[in-house]
Amino acid sequence: MPNWNEVIVEIQQARQNNPNVNPLDTVRRKYLKKVSEITGRNTIAYYSGWLQKPKAPGTAVGDKDKSGFMLGINKLDRSQGLDLILHTPGGDIAATESLVDYLYSMYDKDIRVIVPQISMSAGTMIAFASKEIVMGKHSNLGPIDPQMGGLACQAVLNEFEQAKEDIRQNPHSASLWQVIIGKYHPTFLGACKQAIEWSEKMVSDWLENNMCDGDMKRVKNIVDTFSNHSIQKSHARHISKKECKEVGLEISDLENDQDLQDAVLTTHHAFMHTFSNTHCVKIIENHEGIAYIEQATPPQIK
């Protein structure tokens, strides 16, 4: 299968051979279909272009994504199950819950997630809803601790607890802490607690009823590790395949199937080239070439 540079050459050749057809689409869909042919399963790629366009709106998981999945799943033979290729920075918790509920209604528990590079935050949550996660040595998941306004909810709660303890031991520190915690609005603390409880309950249920098959000790270990801000230190931390296995996730090695690895990585390169050479910020596409594509508005030239 072509590597990164060879995919570029193939795209260029496709453009020369048929100038009336978008070569990026042609090459990307060719290899996405190859993934499905190897596995014998439905395949949907859920890709965000946040790495190429970090400031563009529309790269995160949101409510509009369900329309893309509805389009991609329509007319597929659902008895073949679903392989979901994920590459996303994460996004809205409510949208994530709604999306997983929809996928369960379509495929029940027969969902496998393939992570070719990075599936962070809410993307990790979606992966936890599957029966199995396929990762390579280069693949990463991320912490699932909720964020509000760019702040880790658990870090906010920890800061409040530290303030209470400091003031109890040294009342003169109250004025200093008032400046620090005064930046939070009155209901922020409660909202942080609720976000943590919601996300942990949601992910625990998915793990219990699918990947972990009722093993609550295993579920607790996974959730405690991935949601603990004190352990992970940063919401941006990249968690390796090795760590994912050690904590109890059902991880399969992408390297164990050379044909599948080649097809997945070539597909990944093709998606990356699409984001680099177009205004696309998100693509939800199935193995039959049916795609939902969001584009960033190009800058106005004045």
Side-chain angles (χ1 to χ4, degrees), residues 106-157:
M106 294 291 104
Y107 289 97
D108 193 20
K109 299 177 183 179
D110 193 8
I111 300 170
R112 182 171 66 164
V113 162
I114 301 172
V115 181
Q117 185 179 356
I118 310 172
S119 184
M120 300 290 284
S121 189
T124 297
M125 292 180 176
I126 296 172
F128 285 178
S130 69
K131 65 178 184 179
E132 175 188 4
I133 308 172
V134 181
M135 299 177 69
K137 294 177 181 177
H138 47 274
S139 305
N140 294 110
L141 299 180
I144 60 171
D145 55 312
Q147 309 285 294
M148 296 191 69
L151 300 173
C153 291
Q154 188 59 57
V156 172
L157 298 183

Side-chain angles (χ1 to χ4, degrees), residues 4 7 11 24 27-29 31-32 44-49 52 85 87 264-278 280 282-286 291:
W4 177 272
V7 171
I11 290 170
L24 293 164
V27 173
R28 190 181 67 248
R29 290 168 182 172
Y31 291 106
L32 182 57
I44 294 180
Y46 177 61
Y47 264 78
S48 167
Q52 290 80 11
I85 305 177
H87 182 74
V264 167
L265 294 183
T266 301
T267 299
H268 179 70
H269 299 330
F271 272 91
M272 294 297 97
H273 288 310
T274 299
F275 289 125
S276 295
N277 292 281
T278 68
C280 293
K282 186 179 291 177
I283 303 173
I284 304 172
E285 188 166 37
N286 71 17

